[in-house]
Amino acid sequence: MQVKTKAIVISSLKFQEKSLIVKCFTLSHGLKSYFVRDAFSSRKSTQKIAYFQPMTILEIEAVHKNKGTLENFKEIKIAAPFHSIHSDIYKSTIVMFISEILHHAIHEEEKNEHLFTFLETALHWLDNHDEIANFHLILMLETTKYLGFYPDISDIDMPFFEMTEGIFTPFHAISSLTEHETNLFKKLIDLKFDNDQKIFHVIERQIVLKILIDYYSYHLDGFKKPKSLDVLKEVFS
């Protein structure tokens, strides 16, 4: 089946000497993996390695066999080039981290147009703003809406957040955040991308990030702590 769709690059893995296996989150078909032959070839190619940087938004034409095997691109172009994401150390570190989070979080080969639109909009916001210290925290929390485990905030006035059920409770359980952690988590729930980015101190931001990674781990089978976490902490310390 020939497909024309937008796609966000989630990861790319070098295969043998010259080829790549590229995992994309597509608008039309959800998660798909593609084989890019001779991606590192010196000869001129439309499938340039630069297209496959983390979280790049592409417009692709591809052949989908839908047999659980690697698919193939026919044509690729940048949907809308980023101006700063891949040249700014803070932004490039964030997208590396976010791509790794999504690599472990999105598994279904089925379309999720709302998640795609949210990620696309968020990436353009990141590209066009400079106050971005909390971007990855807000994006991780908002993404849970589309993955099915956004916190139930109907009892948000309660002092403890229970991680396994995703609810606020009056009692502290083994899988609950402390009252201090819960208060930081509540601050995050109220945040939007355009809010004051200095609302968290560095240590508080690291606490909130750990909460989110733990929360993902509770709700997603096989979720792994991102290898880029230490780099992110170093850059934003």
Side-chain angles (χ1 to χ4, degrees), residues 2 8 13-14 19 27 37 64 83 90 110-111 119 148 158 166 170-171 177 185 189 202 204 215 229 231 234:
Q2 192 158 321
I8 298 173
L13 177 68
K14 191 172 183 179
S19 301
L27 178 60
R37 190 182 304 277
H64 286 180
H83 303 292
Y90 298 101
E110 58 185 50
K111 69 178 179 181
L119 292 173
M158 296 295 176
F171 308 109
L177 302 179
F185 195 52
I189 287 173
V202 172
E204 290 178 332
Y215 190 52
L229 180 60
V231 180
E234 182 70 25

Side-chain angles (χ1 to χ4, degrees), residues 127-142:
D127 192 43
N128 289 293
H129 291 80
D130 296 322
E131 297 298 321
I132 58 165
N134 300 319
F135 176 87
H136 54 298
L137 306 177
I138 299 168
L139 186 140
M140 280 186 72
L141 180 62
E142 290 295 307

Side-chain angles (χ1 to χ4, degrees), residues 43-110:
R43 65 183 177 81
K44 196 172 182 180
S45 171
T46 57
Q47 300 184 355
K48 297 175 183 175
I49 187 67
Y51 289 169
F52 306 118
Q53 294 185 75
M55 306 308 287
T56 301
I57 304 171
L58 304 173
E59 286 184 8
I60 66 171
E61 286 188 33
V63 176
H64 286 180
K65 295 179 180 177
N66 297 318
K67 293 181 178 178
T69 55
L70 296 174
E71 314 290 14
N72 292 284
F73 294 119
K74 287 192 69 180
E75 287 189 30
I76 311 169
K77 64 179 181 179
I78 303 290
F82 293 135
H83 303 292
S84 64
I85 281 180
H86 295 307
S87 58
D88 181 297
I89 183 63
Y90 298 101
K91 295 181 181 183
S92 61
T93 302
I94 283 176
V95 297
M96 178 174 63
F97 175 76
I98 290 297
S99 69
E100 200 174 348
I101 290 287
L102 295 175
H103 175 78
H104 294 304
I106 303 173
H107 302 295
E108 298 83 5
E109 281 199 19
E110 58 185 50

